[in-house]
Amino acid sequence: MSALRPLLLLLLPLCPGPGPGPGIEAKVTRSCAETRQVLGARGYSLSLLPPSLISGEHLRVCPQEYTCCSSETEQRLVRETEDTFRSLVEESGSFLVHTLAARHRKFDEFFRELLSASEHSLAQLFSRSYGRLYAQHAPIFSGLFSRLRSHYGGVSGGLDDTLADFWAQLLERAFPLLHPQYSFPPDYLLCLTRLASAADGSLQPFGDSPRRLRLQITRALVAARALIQGLATGRDVVSTALKVSMSEGCSRAVMRLTGCPLCRGVPSLPPCRGFCLNVARGCLSSGGLEPDWGSYLDALLLLADRLQGPFSFELAAESIGVKISEGLMFLQENSVGVSAQVFQGCGGPYPALTRTRRAPAPWEEAGRLWTSGAEEERPTTAAGTNLPRLVWELRERLSRVRGFWTGLPLTVCGDPRMAADISQEAAPCWTGAGRGRYLPPVVGGSLAEQLHNPELQVDVSGPDLPTRRRRLQLRAATARMRAAALGHDLDLQDAEEDASGSGGGQHYADDWMAGTAAVAPPARPPRPPRRDSPGGKGGGGSRHNQGRGRSGGPPVGFCTQPILILFLSALALLGPR
């Protein structure tokens, strides 16, 4: 036995003694001086804070052991810790809201400036080419850009109708300039526009320019509008999702996490990290946006890539003036054939009493004056940016937020007010009952895993109603962006379904889809151009209809849609002679 004594003396210091349980801690830490100092700095009345630990039988949330808190102090701390948790969640996501808001603002400014620059370039080109003649008809062109901006801003209505109206108005102004020796009354101009919009496409006064402009501008404008709306929806959804709605169980768990150390007299003891993760994941499990968040980001990036690739908004905006100029030149170069078709279909025009019309300006000059920049040059806005740069910035910023909702509890628990630093995991921390190590299992963030959360009871039946609404908004924006990336306009489809009960939407991909062969545009029923100005009926419609009937071609009838015909005739009367 004497031989073992030295060995026993060496091993004795290594044997652990009884740990400092709650009762021992209460005996060692009897003073509330540290708690009084912290809460006094927050504005608490010291008269409500005992100088030393008292019995905690009155407590409702914290352990009913020795405490530094009265009932009033505990209730106030419950409200404060709840506010702190809410503000911390909002602070953690503020950069995400700012990112989406800033991207929305930059893209919106860029798209609007491109449309303005395109309108300005067209005005300069046509002013140099046509002079006073363009000034007389400038409202036609400014009206086109105004309607394009309205459509981009979300005003309902099909782009096909907007462009068809523009070409019809341009034809009504340009065709009489080819024949200043004739007079064209309103009913004749009405016959002209109906002939040009016939389903068989036999008369194409502007060649293929209307179809090419329609394909390029509509696909780009629909994609740009869907991207802007998607960014705005994401910004608003994230902003509301960060305003956490806390249940009673969540409030009590947060109080036990960050408020009860104050009541226990150990405000400097940080909460255990595992304890914080269980509380944060339990409180945030039903308010996140996964898995819809990842799909939403994928749709944003897909559409942004389309806008700088096959659906380039820059090229579409630049092409407006080019396509209109090409259409006018086609009309002049093929004026003999076009006029023959018109005279055959609508009859011979009336001879003009006096020659009051001016000959058209040389339209070939318009083609020479319109010169696009070099391919490597990118148009810039006043902010000095371009679309590839904007898309790169969007991709770079969104890569940082892909796992935001999954990692939000980790972000919250990374704050020193909520949990101990991860480097101090081995050190004693606040377990919810005292100083020690957190032994309960740390559960994951899914609802199935939250069923076993040791800190609070989580409703695992599914997201609450506000969260379901936010996810539906995100899914709707995702569907709209994915459809726009394929050339579909879901907004127009919804409008058609509201009006008629069914509708297939408009599809603008056609021969612009990358990697596919050219596809002819689908046949459309004749769409008489709409007019907004009131007016009276013309008196010579029967004569021009009979002219086409005698030629053996399909008759041009005026018996359908009399109110629309009334509007058409009135606008032609108001047009310049």
Side-chain angles (χ1 to χ4, degrees), residues 24 65 126 167 256 277 339 352 404 414 422 471-472 498 513:
I24 297 177
E65 299 177 359
F126 282 40
W167 289 109
R256 287 189 291 105
L277 288 175
S339 299
F404 171 78
I422 192 171
R471 291 184 179 180
L472 286 176
D498 292 340
M513 291 297 292

Side-chain angles (χ1 to χ4, degrees), residues 239-360:
S239 180
T240 55
L242 291 173
K243 294 176 172 58
V244 182
S245 176
M246 298 180 64
S247 64
E248 182 181 356
C250 176
S251 298
R252 293 172 64 89
V254 172
M255 172 61 186
R256 287 189 291 105
L257 177 70
T258 59
C260 290
L262 286 164
C263 291
R264 195 58 184 274
V266 286
S268 59
L269 183 65
C272 298
R273 184 173 177 82
F275 183 19
C276 176
L277 288 175
N278 279 338
V279 172
R281 285 172 178 165
C283 290
L284 301 174
S285 60
S286 62
L289 298 176
E290 293 290 355
D292 301 298
W293 179 248
S295 301
Y296 164 77
L297 296 181
D298 291 338
L300 269 179
L301 295 176
L302 172 64
L303 190 56
D305 287 338
R306 289 282 185 170
L307 279 168
Q308 69 168 346
F311 291 1
S312 173
F313 195 89
E314 288 176 324
L315 296 179
E318 290 177 347
S319 71
I320 297 176
V322 174
K323 297 296 188 298
I324 295 174
S325 177
E326 291 175 352
L328 288 173
M329 287 188 288
F330 182 91
L331 177 61
Q332 185 186 26
E333 293 170 357
N334 298 271
S335 60
V336 175
V338 171
S339 299
Q341 285 183 275
V342 172
F343 295 159
Q344 182 183 11
C346 296
Y350 299 102
L353 298 178
T354 57
R355 294 176 59 91
T356 58
R357 299 176 185 264
R358 295 183 53 192

Side-chain angles (χ1 to χ4, degrees), residues 381-395:
T381 65
T385 187
N386 54 53
L387 195 52
R389 188 181 307 168
L390 286 175
V391 173
W392 179 86
E393 291 174 352
L394 178 68
R395 181 177 296 278

Side-chain angles (χ1 to χ4, degrees), residues 445-463:
S446 67
L447 289 178
E449 293 171 301
Q450 285 301 308
L451 185 64
H452 307 289
N453 194 318
E455 298 304 331
L456 70 158
Q457 186 175 358
V458 179
D459 183 7
V460 296
S461 61

Side-chain angles (χ1 to χ4, degrees), residues 15 92 107 118 163 194 364 366 438 498:
C15 296
S92 300
F107 273 100
S118 177
L163 295 173
R194 289 180 64 88
E364 294 84 353
Y438 189 71
D498 292 340

